[in-house]
Amino acid sequence: MNVDDEALAKKRFFLLGIIRLSGALMIAIGLAVIARGFLDLPKVAGYVIFVVGIVDFVAMPVVLSRAWKSPPAA
């Protein structure tokens, strides 16, 4: 692994962490809207924010890691 590959791996690792953190924040905000009417939003908006947060937290890192996976060496 050369220096460029290592820098790219660090950037990707950082990006995956940011994506998971944003998903966790959306989950928390969605739950706050559903339970307490946070930000005076309707419950439907809370459910939408919650589902988007779940997808962001769970599915996006998997999708990105598959897209970034190295092709098999021939």
Side-chain angles (χ1 to χ4, degrees):
M1 182 182 282
N2 61 26
V3 176
D4 292 334
D5 291 340
E6 187 174 332
L8 181 61
K10 285 181 182 181
K11 287 178 186 178
R12 289 178 175 177
F13 182 77
F14 181 73
L15 182 61
L16 288 175
I18 293 296
I19 288 171
R20 284 196 174 120
L21 180 62
S22 68
L25 287 174
M26 283 196 289
I27 290 169
I29 290 170
L31 287 174
V33 170
I34 293 167
R36 308 242 185 231
F38 183 66
L39 298 174
D40 293 328
L41 293 173
K43 282 192 174 188
V44 173
Y47 287 113
V48 170
I49 294 169
F50 179 76
V51 170
V52 170
I54 291 289
V55 169
D56 195 31
F57 187 81
V58 175
M60 286 309 296
V62 174
V63 169
L64 287 175
S65 65
R66 284 184 183 168
W68 293 335
K69 193 170 185 172
S70 301

